[in-house]
Amino acid sequence: MAAKEHEVLENYITQHNLKITKQRRAVLEAFLASEEHVSAEDLYKIVSVKEPKIGLATVYRTLSLLTESGLAAELDFGDGQKRYEHNYEHDHHDHMICTQCGKIIEFHNPLIEKLQEDVAREHGFEITTHKLDMFGICKDCR
Amino acid sequence: MAAKEHEVLENYITQHNLKITKQRRAVLEAFLASEEHVSAEDLYKIVSVKEPKIGLATVYRTLSLLTESGLAAELDFGDGQKRYEHNYEHDHHDHMICTQCGKIIEFHNPLIEKLQEDVAREHGFEITTHKLDMFGICKDCR
DNA sequence: CTACCTGCAAATTATTTGCCTTAAC
DNA sequence: GTTAAGGCAAATAATTTGCAGGTAG
């Protein structure tokens, strides 16, 4: 599957007359190996080990590339920092965020999604994407 | 109702050994008179008319106060700017955001909320707040 | 009079950009 | 060889903070 994801990025890159570089490969590598919900700073630290000369700006630029190519999705939990999660052949899911320990539980509920579509239709609204975040206390922190 | 909201703020202020100032009153006034979803900058511009000496920092500080006292709620539509909406004796609602014209449609769907509670319970998670934002195209822009 | 509050400017934080050098293709 | 990419430092943008003087209680 990692192979597939490399392909996705390389296809995107060649289709847009861009170039495959060792920095881009390193960021992709680190992103694929990372847990969900990494920040640019997180990735920068990880990549810096193998690629000490890399600049934070390059990480940001590569993350845009990953997002545009469909490999990554941006998250914003309202703490002033963007996170990124795997988005390739991953089903859509939403998040429960524990405000105590920071743990993030993912879930997917088709019925909720269906109701969203219903509400949207009632308003003549066509949903492109949506985001459902529930903040609270997880079972380990209660 | 505006009277009630003034009381809420004044109670909060006196209970916390804070002071009622004309700046705070002016920001509250502007906030109450404002449309939903104002940014700090929006309010600053409005308040500046009546109170030309006010500083942007004061608006930010007062908005925190309004949020803490329960009159305002922070919103974040991911465009790098916080918005504020009325939160006092207003029912919870979610948002549909038109990515074309920027219009925001509010809605409330008890069944969706119930399902959220159900999902949370399955995970031993206790919801404090939640946020459901649907991005897409509104009926006027289709 | 004693905090707290204000305005202002400077600091912070996350992210973006400009620019010149370097490396893909 | 072109042309895009990278590194670095400077620029943004929204928000926060420090401080010295002002004001509410």
Side-chain angles (χ1 to χ4, degrees):
Chain A
M1 56 214 72
K4 257 192 216 161
E5 285 154 335
H6 276 92
E7 264 174 52
V8 171
L9 181 60
E10 304 206 350
N11 286 345
Y12 182 87
I13 284 183
T14 48
Q15 277 164 29
H16 288 76
N17 287 341
L18 307 178
K19 289 168 185 178
I20 297 170
T21 66
K22 65 172 187 297
Q23 290 91 337
R24 285 178 176 170
R25 238 177 295 206
V27 174
L28 174 61
E29 225 55 67
F31 173 68
L32 293 179
S34 72
E35 324 218 338
E36 307 268 316
H37 316 126
V38 277
S39 67
E41 195 72 38
D42 291 340
L43 275 181
Y44 175 61
K45 281 182 200 141
I46 297 167
V47 176
S48 294
V49 177
K50 290 245 169 190
E51 209 66 56
K53 288 284 192 53
I54 202 169
L56 182 52
T58 300
V59 176
Y60 275 105
R61 286 186 276 231
T62 307
L63 278 169
S64 305
L65 222 51
L66 296 186
T67 304
E68 285 155 30
S69 68
L71 289 177
E74 280 186 3
L75 302 175
D76 183 351
F77 295 132
D79 65 340
Q81 207 176 157
K82 281 181 192 154
R83 317 275 155 143
Y84 296 83
E85 69 177 6
H86 298 187
N87 189 44
Y88 180 64
E89 287 183 359
H90 277 240
D91 289 329
H92 171 80
H93 58 259
D94 295 302
H95 298 101
M96 290 183 251
I97 301 114
C98 179
T99 50
Q100 196 104 130
C101 68
K103 182 163 56 233
I104 293 169
I105 304 164
E106 298 180 350
F107 69 94
H108 175 71
N109 187 305
L111 190 43
I112 293 180
E113 316 260 298
K114 185 193 168 301
L115 288 171
Q116 290 178 22
E117 289 292 348
D118 291 348
V119 175
R121 195 170 317 111
E122 281 166 28
H123 289 81
F125 189 88
E126 191 181 328
I127 302 177
T128 314
T129 56
H130 74 266
K131 234 177 58 159
L132 169 58
D133 296 327
M134 305 182 340
F135 299 87
I137 310 293
C138 76
K139 66 172 191 295
D140 300 333
C141 291
R142 295 174 70 175
Chain B
M1 58 216 72
K4 257 192 214 160
E5 285 154 333
H6 276 94
E7 265 174 50
V8 171
L9 181 60
E10 303 206 351
N11 286 345
Y12 181 87
I13 284 184
T14 49
Q15 277 163 30
H16 289 74
N17 288 341
L18 307 178
K19 289 168 184 175
I20 297 170
T21 66
K22 66 174 187 295
Q23 290 89 337
R24 283 177 178 170
R25 238 176 296 205
V27 174
L28 174 60
E29 225 54 68
F31 172 69
L32 293 180
S34 72
E35 324 218 338
E36 307 268 317
H37 316 127
V38 277
S39 67
E41 195 72 38
D42 292 339
L43 275 181
Y44 176 60
K45 281 181 200 141
I46 297 166
V47 176
S48 293
V49 176
K50 288 245 169 192
E51 209 65 57
K53 288 286 192 51
I54 202 167
L56 182 52
T58 300
V59 175
Y60 275 105
R61 287 186 277 230
T62 307
L63 278 169
S64 305
L65 224 50
L66 296 186
T67 305
E68 287 155 29
S69 67
L71 289 177
E74 279 186 3
L75 301 175
D76 183 352
F77 295 131
D79 65 341
Q81 206 175 161
K82 281 180 192 155
R83 316 277 156 141
Y84 297 83
E85 69 177 5
H86 298 187
N87 190 43
Y88 180 65
E89 288 183 358
H90 278 240
D91 289 329
H92 171 79
H93 57 258
D94 295 302
H95 298 101
M96 290 184 253
I97 300 112
C98 178
T99 49
Q100 196 104 131
C101 68
K103 182 165 51 238
I104 294 169
I105 303 164
E106 298 181 351
F107 69 94
H108 174 71
N109 186 305
L111 188 46
I112 292 181
E113 315 261 296
K114 185 191 169 305
L115 288 170
Q116 290 178 21
E117 290 292 348
D118 291 347
V119 175
R121 194 170 316 111
E122 279 166 29
H123 289 81
F125 189 88
E126 191 182 328
I127 303 177
T128 313
T129 55
H130 74 266
K131 241 175 55 157
L132 170 57
D133 295 326
M134 305 181 341
F135 299 86
I137 310 293
C138 75
K139 66 173 190 298
D140 300 333
C141 292
R142 296 175 69 176

